[in-house]
Amino acid sequence: MTPPCSIILPAHDEADYIGACLGHILAQDHRGPAEVIVIANGCSDDTAARARAQQPGFAARGWQLRVEELAQGGKIGALNHGDACAGPGIRLYLDADIRMGPRLLSGLVRVLDADEPRYAGGRLVVAPARSAVSRAYARFWQKLPFVAQGVTGAGLFAVNEAGRARWGAFPQIISDDTFARLQFAEAERFLVDEPYEWPLVEGFSPLVRVRRRQDMGVAEIARLFPDLPSRQGHVRPGKGELLRLAAADPLGFATYAAVALAVRMGRNRQEWARGR
């Protein structure tokens, strides 16, 4: 029997994105039981109303779409609230701006239908950017081994029931996806070769802010959970790999390196930054 799947979807002021995100969930070829829990947290727009407008479509498939509203914003609180609402089985944690390829959910469920703890994700594809800088950065970043061959967890990750038992509530940290991924050894992490579209911020300064926050999140986990970083696996490319990638895309490499240098030069600045 196919295990049930709960999709936990935190959403803060995502009115422009929630409809497409839910529409792509509804278009999945998965035929097993599923529920979607949208946690609209601290919203000042009509995210919750737009999500509820999709309920008839989910009901027609025999899936439940539940919309929870929290007065207080914050992704970690929304994740923990969603976990408290969810039933047993597989958990898929999804950002509200993600668009899943139509076979991704069924692929994740197949991989996670196991007794031993497992973590899984899809093949990340950066959504087309308007900014030339963002396009160049994305083109190079997507070819790095961690993104091209690994399970990044950026915007989307899933665990089976045994895997979710590895930790309790999500702690108040910046990088929930890194925290979840590092609960698992490399051999327990599975890449499903089906795409999902992940948006990137537009322009040089926003890229620097996002990259700085990502680095802060990784450093925070190393500080608070010093046993976890040893499970990172192949994250940084070797010198030979980097030279090969740079030779293949000099402009992409220059853009990526400029962002990294700007982050390092301003490493003590702590602006808040969203992923887009």
Side-chain angles (χ1 to χ4, degrees), residues 71-72 103 178 186 205 215 234:
Q72 184 174 359
R103 294 179 295 275
T178 302
E186 275 194 285
S205 294
D215 289 354
H234 188 189

Side-chain angles (χ1 to χ4, degrees), residues 29-275:
D29 69 355
H30 177 62
R31 294 293 175 246
E35 65 173 347
V36 180
I37 305 167
V38 175
I39 308 97
N41 60 96
C43 292
S44 59
D45 63 9
D46 61 345
T47 294
R50 293 194 183 202
R52 288 192 181 98
Q54 301 266 4
Q55 287 175 328
F58 282 85
R61 286 204 58 172
W63 292 356
Q64 181 185 21
L65 171 59
R66 177 174 176 176
V67 181
E68 297 282 312
E69 293 190 68
L70 303 181
Q72 184 174 359
K75 186 178 182 183
I76 297 300
L79 286 171
N80 287 330
H81 185 85
D83 268 331
C85 294
I90 290 166
R91 301 278 172 91
L92 169 60
Y93 299 92
L94 184 67
D95 286 357
D97 53 7
I98 297 297
R99 301 185 180 196
M100 298 170 62
R103 294 179 295 275
L104 180 51
L105 181 57
S106 59
L108 291 169
V109 170
R110 280 195 300 273
V111 164
L112 295 172
D113 188 6
D115 293 330
E116 66 272 12
R118 288 187 174 187
Y119 171 101
R123 175 165 45 85
L124 186 153
V125 176
V126 177
R130 298 185 303 274
S131 160
V133 170
S134 294
R135 287 197 301 272
Y137 182 93
R139 190 174 61 242
F140 187 82
W141 180 75
Q142 284 184 100
K143 294 175 183 175
L144 294 174
F146 174 62
V147 183
Q149 302 160 23
V151 190
T152 70
L156 181 154
F157 62 90
V159 296
N160 61 4
E161 195 163 357
R164 186 58 186 86
R166 287 272 172 94
W167 76 96
F170 282 93
Q172 286 291 338
I173 54 175
I174 295 169
S175 187
D176 56 280
D177 51 351
T178 302
F179 173 81
R181 177 169 50 84
L182 296 184
Q183 304 299 317
F184 300 84
E186 275 194 285
E188 298 174 311
R189 304 197 294 255
F190 295 82
L191 178 64
V192 174
D193 191 20
E194 295 292 341
Y196 70 96
E197 197 173 78
W198 181 82
L200 189 66
V201 292
E202 300 284 352
F204 185 81
S205 294
L207 282 170
V208 171
R209 289 197 297 271
V210 168
R211 174 67 182 272
R212 181 177 293 127
R213 186 168 184 267
Q214 289 169 345
D215 289 354
M216 288 169 56
V218 172
E220 180 184 52
I221 286 175
R223 186 178 72 253
L224 298 177
F225 308 98
D227 57 318
L228 294 185
S230 62
R231 300 176 186 166
Q232 282 278 16
H234 188 189
V235 176
R236 296 183 182 277
K239 189 172 292 186
E241 284 179 300
L242 194 59
L243 289 173
R244 177 178 56 80
L245 291 170
D249 185 0
L251 178 60
F253 172 71
T255 305
Y256 181 84
V259 169
L261 180 62
V263 169
R264 181 172 297 182
M265 291 176 64
R267 61 185 177 274
N268 293 324
R269 297 173 63 191
Q270 297 189 13
E271 311 106 313
W272 172 262
R274 299 185 69 170

